[in-house]
Amino acid sequence: MTGERAMTDAELAARLAETAGQILIYLRASGLLSGKPLGTAGDRTADSFLMSTLKTLRSEDAVLCEESRATPGRTSANRVWIVDPLDGTREYSEGRKDWAVHVALAIDGVATVGAVALPDCDGGLVLRSDEPSALPAAASPPRIVVSRTRPPPEAEAVAQALDGQLVPMGSAGAKAMAVLRGEAEAYVHSGGQYEWDSCAPVAVAIAHGLTCTRLDGSPLRYNCANVALPDLVICRPELHETILSAVRAVTEV
């Protein structure tokens, strides 16, 4: 990586996500880990690269990462990199395509800069907050991406309200980027996540014109003392109010 110190935050996020994804692809294809837990090794290897690079290139910023100890005092920092080195460990280990690498920068608690790498999609994609594009045309009926292992009851209510269909998919990043790429119209999640699961996808999604909130409609906040962020919706703007109404109807029963 040359010229890194001249990179903008967005350029750095994209470069880091892309390179970590390439490392993970190589590691899985190499056969070096035959008989060993592939997902664990992938997490640790990508984490080591991302953490060491951020420490070198953004030494004054704090870091919150799924696999590493957070920077001491990070909650008082106004610039915090929030990173998931391998979002979708199971999917990666199974040789599926629906996994991702997340690199984001939260400024004053807001997901401001982000990059999501989808290394197994179309030869390797990186979706960036600094390269927004128009949303593809919406499909009818609407498609709502959900966890392939534990779809939330709120998503069922949303599908009924929109006369839509549920589409199971792997990692959080893959689901969020499916909405951005026109493979779905909404992503509805409840039941548990952490800040690193959504910060980069949210930064990218907002930059591309999608609406991102908690399921109660409140803003998504990052770099909190409690890093649990258990629910969210990422959707096309015109669907947001209908989705929130459907969720309220379920949660108020």
Side-chain angles (χ1 to χ4, degrees):
M1 296 176 69
T2 60
E4 296 94 337
R5 293 185 184 279
M7 286 184 183
T8 66
D9 291 329
E11 290 167 343
L12 178 59
R15 190 74 169 274
L16 290 175
E18 180 179 31
T19 304
Q22 292 170 344
I23 291 170
L24 287 162
I25 289 286
Y26 171 79
L27 185 65
R28 190 176 62 186
S30 69
L32 296 172
L33 297 173
S34 179
K36 298 180 181 180
L38 179 59
T40 300
D43 269 320
R44 291 175 178 172
T45 303
D47 170 75
S48 178
F49 162 72
L50 292 169
M51 294 295 287
S52 63
T53 307
L54 284 171
K55 184 177 181 180
T56 299
L57 302 182
R58 294 294 188 272
S59 58
E60 295 183 358
D61 294 342
V63 181
L64 171 63
C65 180
E66 180 180 15
E67 300 301 323
S68 294
R69 185 175 181 180
T71 302
R74 64 161 179 89
T75 55
S76 61
N78 70 319
R79 286 172 51 94
V80 181
W81 292 86
I82 300 180
V83 177
D84 192 342
L86 175 50
D87 178 56
T89 303
R90 177 183 299 181
E91 287 75 18
Y92 170 76
S93 299
E94 293 175 354
R96 292 171 58 93
K97 295 183 177 181
D98 47 349
W99 57 278
V101 178
H102 300 175
V103 180
L105 175 64
I107 299 177
D108 294 328
V110 177
T112 305
V113 171
V116 177
L118 302 173
D120 258 334
C121 292
D122 300 332
L125 291 177
V126 181
L127 293 308
R128 304 167 52 158
S129 58
D130 64 331
E131 294 184 352
S133 58
L135 294 174
S140 182
R143 298 154 296 176
I144 301 97
V145 282
V146 296
S147 169
R148 69 188 184 101
T149 56
R150 49 185 186 281
E154 292 89 346
E156 295 277 0
V158 169
Q160 292 181 7
L162 295 175
D163 194 23
Q165 58 184 8
L166 299 181
V167 179
M169 193 173 290
S171 80
K175 290 192 281 284
M177 296 304 98
V179 182
L180 188 152
R181 299 175 66 203
E183 298 173 345
E185 283 61 57
Y187 167 32
V188 177
H189 175 82
S190 70
Q193 279 187 357
Y194 296 92
E195 291 188 8
W196 47 76
D197 292 308
S198 67
C199 191
V202 164
V204 175
I206 289 174
H208 285 72
L210 295 174
T211 299
C212 307
T213 68
R214 299 284 302 272
L215 287 182
D216 62 2
S218 61
L220 292 155
R221 299 292 299 176
Y222 294 90
N223 193 33
C224 301
N226 181 356
V227 298
L229 191 55
D231 61 76
L232 82 163
V233 55
I234 298 176
C235 67
R236 300 179 70 92
E238 65 270 21
L239 301 180
H240 189 240
E241 285 304 321
T242 301
I243 289 172
L244 295 187
S245 295
V247 171
R248 282 194 296 269
V250 172
T251 57
E252 291 175 357
V253 171

